[in-house]
Amino acid sequence: MKGIHLSVQNRQVTLLIYLALWCVPNIVWAQRVLPEKYRVRAEALALQYPDASEVNLKSSSIYSFQRSKRSDIPVSATQKTNYEVMSTEDNNAFKTAIFYNAGAGVNKVIARSRKGKMVDPRAIYTNYLSSGIFHDDVKICIINYDLDTKGETFTYGYEKRYEDIKFLTSVYFHEQSPVLEKEIVFEVPDWLEIDFHEINFKDFEVSKSKINNAKQGTTTYTFSAKNLPAFKKDSNSPGIAYDYPHLVVLAKGVISDGKKQKLLASSDDLYAWYSSLVNELENDNDQLIPLVESLIGESKSDIEKVASIFYWVQDNIRYIAFEEGIMGFKPEASHNVYSNRYGDCKGMANLTKQMLTLAGFDARLVWLGTNSIPYDYNIPSLIVDNHMICAVKLDDTWEYLDATETFIGLGDYAERIQGRQVMIENGEQYILENVPELDYTRNLLSRKIKMSIVDKSLKGNETFSLNGERKTSFLRQFSALKTNKQDEALSNYLSKHDKNLHLERYSNSNLSERSGLLQFDFDFLLNNQIVTVGDEIYVNIDRYKEFSSVNFEKDRTRPYDFNNKVFLLSETVLEIPKGYRVKYLPVGMNEELEDFSFSVNFEQIGNNIISKKQIAIRQSIIDESKFSTWNSTIDKVKSAYNDQIILIKK
């Protein structure tokens, strides 16, 4: 939603991937002769940080504040950052990047060699290519410098200017490379009221000081840390704001001529600014009236009317993020979104609101932060939210409508907004509520499989149902395919690209239906699941083996994000062939824990072997403290998956 205020540090975790696009020629440089102490230190650092090509010996950022000449922006800020880098390897083509945007520009990039000589940092200024973003004002300055010898050092620095202090939201301690000494300094003039929220400081050693300088009329706040590892790039991790220590900067007010002018002292001030942007909109809704009338004309209830409008916006307005300047915060007028047939979350929310209002409903705009960020409105900062939706009052209850979530039903909510605190517009006031958090059972995947042994194959039928995130994810991917590719895609989806499985017939429920379960039914012939040895038949009846490959490495330090909760129910029935009996039935397993549980069970009932499987992941994020328990559970699950039924001739 709001490109300007997004913390630049949040983008650092993808930096190495981006920098890989910038090719470097294979050059072997003539190595300089350095004093031995430099190489000795570099070798020690290489042992301490074996995954790093270089180490920041020192890093400092000094923030100062100035009165702005603009009446609408009382305060601006300047950041001066410097690094001293040492290479821990020879022939190091050092690269790093500085993120900036329309609200925080970068200039005065300088670099010096070990001996203090000015050198060219070969700065490249370019757009940052964000996937899924149509228009984004985020840019990067890429710095290139060749460190040809292990132990070689150089320093570089830059100045960043925040034209409006409200866009200075957060400051992180960690960097792309390890840091031996890190210092963050705020030189705050007496006329500025500022506060710092310390986030994730538990188990993090930082020294703090506060020095008043009456002569200069300033207070200097210094935060220092040592021996910081680089940002960890673990896959499927939540946003770095969840676990990395950082400061949230809150500029509360300015004193001028003895009078205090509020900036963002409370959520009231945050809402007032958001509301002022909304009040600037000039919605021309005349062209929407015929559309709204046609959508609700045959509806028999308020719920049907709301659903009709909500689904129309989902189906007919393409979501395209727009994050430049003030438009990263200000919604687009409804008639423009309607005419263009595209909009960002703010524009789509505004169009939904205007259409519902025309239909006679109490509809409001809603600000919120998705689960990619950990904050709520106790912190009055632009950092607390990154999304906008619509809310409508039905039977004295708020229903939340996120039209960017295609194929989602009324009353259903995507994982990313469940439980999140929301700010609902209410004239000059606002309402704080929470989106309902739905139980893990919402994301049901249910399978019923019946099989029999025919020759050396398993012949059977499977019916399965999808709901929640599983259903919407499938429908979005399927609808994005060209019509002539859909049959092939559906066949591959049902077979899981398993060359041993031959689909003989399949059918499905309505692939555009948002409410209820999405259901499939197919007949199959499955090869290579049976081994015959003399009078015995060995059978493995589980071809899915869910989560068997999800195992956490010992060196992983960040939480794992599954993106959504999981609930799986499966029942497989194998008919015992005539002339055979059960010699061995797998023992199965059952592990019931607070955040997740797995069970795989086998039993014989009459002439059938029945295997029941249940998997529940009740929280989408698994904390690193539970990795060991998870791994041991998955070991038991894999053992149960691989255990075979043994049948023997009577």
Side-chain angles (χ1 to χ4, degrees):
M1 167 186 166
K2 297 178 294 189
I4 291 179
H5 84 286
L6 292 178
S7 169
V8 295
Q9 289 86 354
N10 282 323
R11 303 181 187 259
Q12 288 178 326
V13 293
T14 60
L15 180 60
L16 294 182
I17 297 174
Y18 188 89
L19 292 179
L21 299 175
W22 294 83
C23 299
V24 181
N26 294 321
I27 299 175
V28 178
W29 299 293
Q31 296 182 356
R32 299 184 182 94
V33 177
L34 295 176
E36 183 63 18
K37 65 178 181 179
Y38 287 92
R39 292 190 67 88
V40 170
R41 188 178 190 189
E43 289 171 356
L45 291 174
L47 292 174
Q48 184 177 356
Y49 302 105
D51 296 329
S53 300
E54 63 279 332
V55 172
N56 290 304
L57 303 180
K58 292 182 180 179
S59 170
S60 67
S61 292
I62 301 174
Y63 296 84
S64 59
F65 305 91
Q66 304 82 36
R67 292 185 186 272
S68 174
K69 296 180 180 179
R70 292 176 52 178
S71 59
D72 59 326
I73 300 178
V75 183
S76 59
T78 301
Q79 169 192 347
K80 294 182 179 180
T81 296
N82 289 283
Y83 299 91
E84 181 183 359
V85 178
M86 173 175 280
S87 178
T88 56
E89 63 184 21
D90 294 327
N91 298 336
N92 182 357
F94 172 77
K95 285 182 181 293
T96 192
I98 308 161
F99 288 92
Y100 63 101
N101 54 33
V106 166
N107 55 47
K108 298 183 180 179
V109 178
I110 60 171
R112 296 181 183 274
S113 68
R114 177 176 60 87
K115 295 184 177 181
K117 181 182 178 181
M118 293 286 291
V119 294
D120 182 7
R122 307 204 317 266
I124 300 172
Y125 297 84
T126 185
N127 293 322
Y128 178 78
L129 305 177
S130 301
S131 60
I133 301 297
F134 174 71
H135 195 88
D136 190 342
D137 69 352
V138 177
K139 301 179 185 298
I140 57 174
C141 170
I142 300 175
I143 294 174
N144 301 268
Y145 190 76
D146 297 335
L147 295 164
D148 61 345
T149 305
K150 182 189 298 183
E152 182 75 14
T153 64
F154 91 114
T155 61
Y156 71 95
Y158 62 90
E159 182 177 298
K160 182 181 286 189
R161 174 80 171 177
Y162 298 86
E163 293 301 327
D164 189 338
I165 194 174
K166 68 166 65 74
F167 298 132
L168 172 56
T169 55
S170 63
V171 181
Y172 283 73
F173 289 85
H174 292 73
E175 301 280 355
Q176 301 157 32
S177 300
V179 184
L180 298 188
E181 296 181 18
K182 178 67 177 259
E183 193 171 72
I184 300 172
V185 180
F186 298 91
E187 297 176 344
V188 183
D190 292 344
W191 49 262
L192 175 63
E193 182 183 0
I194 200 166
D195 195 7
F196 307 100
H197 277 223
E198 300 174 359
I199 309 295
N200 299 326
F201 268 43
K202 183 182 179 182
D203 301 325
F204 176 65
E205 294 185 10
V206 57
S207 60
K208 296 174 284 186
S209 67
K210 176 182 176 181
I211 300 175
N212 296 104
N213 189 322
K215 185 176 181 180
Q216 294 183 0
T218 62
T219 300
T220 300
Y221 300 84
T222 302
F223 300 84
S224 303
K226 294 183 178 182
N227 300 319
L228 303 174
F231 275 118
K232 195 77 183 308
K233 294 169 281 295
D234 287 329
S235 61
N236 291 84
S237 294
I240 61 174
Y242 274 92
D243 52 339
Y244 276 101
H246 59 283
L247 295 165
V248 174
V249 182
L250 301 177
K252 293 187 170 183
V254 178
I255 299 173
S256 293
D257 300 326
K259 296 180 180 180
K260 181 179 177 180
Q261 177 185 354
K262 285 186 177 181
L263 296 176
L264 291 179
S266 68
S267 291
D268 294 347
D269 303 317
L270 182 64
Y271 174 73
W273 188 68
Y274 286 163
S275 185
S276 70
L277 299 179
V278 172
N279 292 336
E280 293 175 0
L281 292 178
E282 296 180 0
N283 295 298
D284 181 2
N285 292 334
D286 289 346
Q287 58 187 310
L288 300 178
I289 295 174
L291 170 63
V292 172
E293 291 177 346
S294 68
L295 290 173
I296 67 174
E298 298 182 2
S299 300
K300 299 178 181 179
S301 66
D302 285 348
I303 290 178
E304 288 185 7
K305 291 178 182 179
V306 171
S308 181
I309 291 172
F310 181 38
Y311 297 161
W312 185 91
V313 178
Q314 283 186 37
D315 294 343
N316 294 276
I317 305 299
R318 183 186 176 198
Y319 171 66
I320 299 178
F322 190 95
E323 301 182 353
E324 180 174 31
I326 200 64
M327 296 309 294
F329 301 86
K330 182 178 179 180
E332 182 62 86
S334 58
H335 58 279
N336 290 334
V337 178
Y338 173 74
S339 298
N340 294 334
R341 289 296 197 270
Y342 66 78
D344 62 8
C345 63
K346 303 178 300 299
M348 295 176 76
N350 183 46
L351 176 61
T352 305
K353 171 193 170 180
Q354 300 303 322
M355 292 176 68
L356 288 169
T357 302
L358 290 173
F361 292 98
D362 179 4
R364 317 278 183 92
L365 293 178
V366 177
W367 294 264
L368 76 156
T370 65
N371 64 3
S372 64
I373 53 179
Y375 317 106
D376 61 26
Y377 287 101
N378 287 317
I379 299 177
S381 167
L382 302 186
I383 201 172
V384 304
D385 48 37
N386 60 354
H387 195 35
M388 180 179 278
I389 60 176
C390 176
V392 61
K393 206 63 168 297
L394 285 175
D395 297 327
D396 295 325
T397 300
W398 291 112
E399 293 286 344
Y400 300 99
L401 312 176
D402 184 354
T404 69
E405 296 283 350
T406 55
F407 292 102
I408 201 165
L410 182 64
D412 192 13
Y413 305 114
E415 179 76 27
R416 67 184 186 135
I417 70 169
Q418 287 183 34
R420 303 299 296 174
Q421 189 181 53
V422 297
M423 177 181 278
I424 305 172
E425 65 174 338
N426 189 37
E428 294 184 359
Q429 305 298 319
Y430 59 91
I431 302 169
L432 291 181
E433 295 283 350
N434 287 83
V435 177
E437 183 160 5
L438 305 180
D439 192 72
Y440 68 95
T441 55
R442 163 187 178 256
N443 296 328
L444 173 68
L445 188 160
S446 174
R447 288 196 183 97
K448 288 189 176 294
I449 305 169
K450 294 182 179 180
M451 297 188 294
S452 60
I453 297 174
V454 177
D455 296 328
K456 295 182 179 181
S457 300
L458 292 173
K459 185 177 179 64
N461 170 266
E462 178 175 339
T463 61
F464 75 96
S465 305
L466 299 176
N467 202 12
E469 300 285 332
R470 290 179 178 272
K471 180 182 72 174
T472 55
S473 177
F474 170 83
L475 292 176
R476 286 170 195 150
Q477 294 178 50
F478 186 77
S479 67
L481 297 171
K482 293 181 179 179
T483 304
N484 63 349
K485 296 287 186 181
Q486 290 184 341
D487 285 342
E488 178 185 354
L490 185 54
S491 176
N492 288 334
Y493 176 76
L494 297 177
S495 68
K496 303 300 180 187
H497 296 274
D498 187 348
K499 295 180 180 179
N500 292 312
L501 187 137
H502 174 67
L503 282 176
E504 297 183 331
R505 178 203 61 84
Y506 64 82
S507 62
N508 51 265
S509 58
N510 186 353
L511 294 180
S512 61
E513 178 60 44
R514 292 172 175 82
S515 60
L517 298 174
L518 176 62
Q519 297 179 317
F520 299 90
D521 181 273
F522 62 93
D523 298 329
F524 62 87
L525 189 67
L526 182 60
N527 300 316
N528 294 334
Q529 296 291 104
I530 296 174
V531 175
T532 301
V533 180
D535 291 339
E536 295 180 341
I537 299 176
Y538 294 77
V539 187
N540 190 314
I541 61 175
D542 193 333
R543 75 181 184 96
Y544 291 104
K545 298 179 172 57
E546 296 89 353
F547 295 97
S548 59
S549 62
V550 181
N551 206 278
F552 301 124
E553 300 85 355
K554 291 182 179 180
D555 62 346
R556 184 182 178 104
T557 58
R558 302 203 62 216
Y560 188 91
D561 189 354
F562 287 104
N563 296 317
N564 50 259
K565 308 178 189 79
V566 174
F567 185 50
L568 182 145
L569 294 175
S570 176
E571 179 181 281
T572 302
V573 178
L574 174 66
E575 182 183 0
I576 301 172
K578 291 181 180 180
Y580 283 82
R581 63 177 175 82
V582 176
K583 179 181 179 181
Y584 173 77
L585 204 59
V587 177
M589 59 79 62
N590 185 69
E591 196 80 10
E592 184 73 30
L593 299 162
E594 181 180 0
D595 291 341
F596 52 86
S597 61
F598 290 79
S599 68
V600 182
N601 298 302
F602 297 83
E603 64 177 330
Q604 180 180 353
I605 300 179
N607 199 43
N608 293 321
I609 296 172
I610 301 174
S611 174
K612 293 183 178 180
K613 176 168 49 178
Q614 178 172 314
I615 299 174
I617 300 178
R618 301 177 185 87
Q619 299 295 331
S620 61
I621 296 178
I622 300 294
D623 188 78
E624 60 268 28
S625 64
K626 298 170 183 174
F627 287 169
S628 177
T629 304
W630 172 276
N631 287 345
S632 64
T633 300
I634 293 301
D635 287 341
K636 297 174 185 177
V637 171
K638 287 191 289 188
S639 179
Y641 285 161
N642 295 327
D643 205 1
Q644 294 181 314
I645 298 167
I646 304 176
L647 305 174
I648 189 169
K649 282 185 178 181
K650 294 180 179 178

